[in-house]
Each structure stands twice: as structure tokens, then as C-alpha cells.
Amino acid sequence: MMPSLPLHSLPLQLSSGAGVGPVGLPGATPAPQPAAATALPSSLGSETLASQSRCVLGAASALAVYAATQRRCRLTTRRAAAIKSKEKMKPGKYKPDLDGQVVDEEAMLAESTFPIKPKDLIKRCKDVLSRGVGTKEGGEADLADDFEFCAPVVGPIGKDEYLRALGNFKILEGFPDNNGNFHHFRVDPFEPNRVWFVTRKSATNTGEFLGKPATGKALVFPPESCSMIFNEEGKLKEYTIGYCMDRRVGNTGGLGGAFGYFYGVGKPLPMPECKPYKRSWQFRLLSFIGNATRRFQK
């Protein structure tokens, strides 16, 4: 009788299905079954049959893992050969493990015809940020005539409306120590005139805000994805902010942008968009139906 294999030491090949594999874990790919079952003596008990089955399935799983490992080794060997020969990978060309889903950013940016190079464009983005994106002295000159602002809920709005809105909020008066903690600046290889960056704001409400006295609350915002799109003259055409990357972080209810300040000091605007995310009754109903269906299918 074939000895059972230590399946706990073998890597599992997971699929997107919800089936249960030979090791009893959700999503594990079932091992291939033998073409024909060998007739077993009637004297064997149920425990012996179960043991024989586990051995067969264990061997099949081991063979499947071995085949997958061999495929990965061949891919790694080809990659090493390509690197040794200094083969230049073109955008979208096959790369190991992700089957062509990782692009060559440097090659794409090198082929860009946008007149401002990535390094200079990132510097330009930081300069615009230092002038408050149009809100500080001299900052309005950074904005193009066709400038647009767009947040998850607000916008897109034009230049004049954008400047009026920020002037009304007076965030720096309520939060003098406001810090954007900007980081991870990079140029989009698909839009070489666009710079993406991340902000993880922190601020303390030590001044009057929205007509209310200071609360002294220290706010920590979730990470937010932001971007700036420039024209060929280096003027800012589009500014996007407030796209929360993980609503579980911080103490502003998962809200970014101006809404995070409002909620953080206990003064959210009276609309759902200015409050922490809450699933709709439709979403809850569909989730209940889905969970109930899965229980009946087991």
C-alpha cells in the first residue's frame, strides 16, 4: 500500500472557485482522479478504504505540485537567459508569474512625446503643492484656464468655483498644523502628463472652524490617492484628491478631503456622502441571500 504523503508541507494551488480540495480547504484545486478504480477486497473496512483514497489523492496532489514547480523553473530559466542577453522588454511583453500583466514603465515613459520629462514633472507637481494648489499667494498662476477639480463626490468643477469653495472652508485657520504628509510621487506611464501621489494628512483643530470654537481634536486621515494632470506649458489642468485607499485607517470615518475635517470635529454635513460608508439595504439584502444560498448548497 502506498504510504500517505505529508500534504501539510506541500503548496496548494488555489482557484477562484468555492470548491473544497483534497486537503479540505476552501478554494483548493481538486486533485485529478485516477482513470479507473481498482477493485478492493470486500474484507477491507471503511477506515482502510478511506486511507487508500487519501493516499491516492495525496500522490495525485504531489504530482500536480511537482508539475507546477517544473513549469515555474522553466519560466525562471527563460527570464534569467533574457536578462543575461540584456533583452529589452517592451510594454506588455510577457513577464514571469503575471503572464504579461506587468508593463515596463520605464520603456513606456521613454517613448512618451510629452515635452516635460517625468523627473521635471514631479518637481513641477511638488512646486504646485507648495503654493497650495492655487490657494496661496502666487498659486493661482499655476492653474490653467480650463482647470478642473474632481473629488469622489464633488466635481468636476471649474477654476473659479474651486477657488471660491476653498476660500469658504478656511481649513488652515481651523487646523494651523495641517500636514499633508505627501509621498510616493510617480508619473503615470499610460498618461505621461499625469503625476500620482499619496497623502496621509494629520491635523489638530486648534482654531475656529465652520463658525465653531476649537475642539482640540487631533485628526489622522486615511491614505488618499491624488493626481495632477498638466498641459504642455506646465499649467495644471486637472486636480483629483480625496480618493480613500483604506477607509479603516485613521479617525475621520474613512473620509478624505474636506469631508474628513468636517466629520473629524463632529460637524459632518447633513448628507450621506459626508458620513462614514454604510451599506445600503439593497446591499445587505443581496448579501443575506448570497450567504443563505451558500449554506443550502453545502
Side-chain angles (χ1 to χ4, degrees):
M1 184 175 66
M2 183 182 299
S4 60
L5 297 175
L7 296 182
H8 62 275
S9 64
L10 297 176
L12 296 178
Q13 294 176 304
L14 300 181
S15 69
S16 58
V20 177
V23 293
L25 293 179
T29 302
Q33 300 298 318
T38 304
L40 297 174
S42 58
S43 60
L44 292 177
S46 59
E47 292 184 2
T48 304
L49 288 174
S51 177
Q52 290 278 7
S53 299
R54 284 196 296 270
C55 289
V56 173
L57 292 176
S61 294
L63 289 174
V65 171
Y66 175 79
T69 302
Q70 291 297 315
R71 286 195 296 271
R72 287 196 293 270
C73 288
R74 288 194 292 271
L75 293 175
T76 303
T77 302
R78 285 202 296 269
R79 183 186 181 207
I83 293 174
K84 186 175 181 180
S85 63
K86 297 183 179 180
E87 175 185 341
K88 181 180 178 182
M89 285 190 169
K90 296 180 181 180
K93 186 174 180 180
Y94 176 78
K95 290 187 178 182
D97 302 327
L98 286 178
D99 195 17
Q101 298 182 55
V102 176
V103 301
D104 189 332
E105 299 176 38
E106 292 184 2
M108 293 178 70
L109 291 173
E111 294 174 358
S112 168
T113 59
F114 189 67
I116 306 177
K117 298 303 179 184
K119 183 178 179 179
D120 297 327
L121 197 65
I122 289 175
K123 182 180 183 303
R124 176 64 177 160
C125 173
K126 292 178 180 179
D127 289 342
V128 172
L129 281 173
S130 70
R131 291 185 284 272
V133 194
T135 62
K136 295 182 180 179
E137 184 177 354
E140 188 173 343
D142 293 327
L143 310 184
D145 292 336
D146 58 347
F147 167 84
E148 280 190 347
F149 169 85
C150 189
V153 176
V154 177
I157 58 176
K159 179 178 179 179
D160 293 338
E161 188 176 354
Y162 162 76
L163 293 173
R164 283 197 303 270
L166 291 185
N168 290 335
F169 292 151
K170 301 184 185 303
I171 290 175
L172 288 180
E173 292 184 10
F175 302 85
D177 68 343
N178 184 75
N179 189 334
N181 293 310
F182 302 112
H183 59 285
H184 198 196
F185 291 82
R186 70 272 187 202
V187 174
D188 190 329
F190 293 93
E191 296 178 87
N193 63 332
R194 185 173 201 163
V195 178
W196 290 95
F197 57 98
V198 178
T199 175
R200 296 187 70 145
K201 298 192 296 286
S202 61
T204 309
N205 181 211
T206 56
E208 184 179 296
F209 184 58
L210 299 177
K212 304 294 183 181
T215 62
K217 290 185 177 180
L219 305 184
V220 177
F221 285 70
E224 304 169 44
S225 180
C226 311
S227 75
M228 292 187 185
I229 299 179
F230 295 87
N231 61 23
E232 295 186 351
E233 288 74 41
K235 297 286 188 179
L236 182 59
K237 287 185 58 179
E238 295 183 26
Y239 180 38
T240 66
I241 67 167
Y243 293 85
C244 177
M245 301 170 72
D246 188 346
R247 56 186 169 86
R248 301 168 299 174
V249 176
N251 59 2
T252 62
L255 299 171
F259 294 168
Y261 296 99
F262 303 154
Y263 179 84
V265 297
K267 300 294 181 183
L269 299 181
M271 54 184 179
E273 292 82 357
C274 288
K275 297 178 181 179
Y277 167 76
K278 182 180 180 181
R279 294 193 302 173
S280 65
W281 66 266
Q282 295 95 331
F283 195 127
R284 296 196 301 273
L285 176 61
L286 287 175
S287 297
F288 173 79
I289 294 173
N291 291 333
T293 301
R294 282 192 291 272
R295 284 197 295 269
F296 281 113
Q297 290 175 343
K298 290 182 179 179

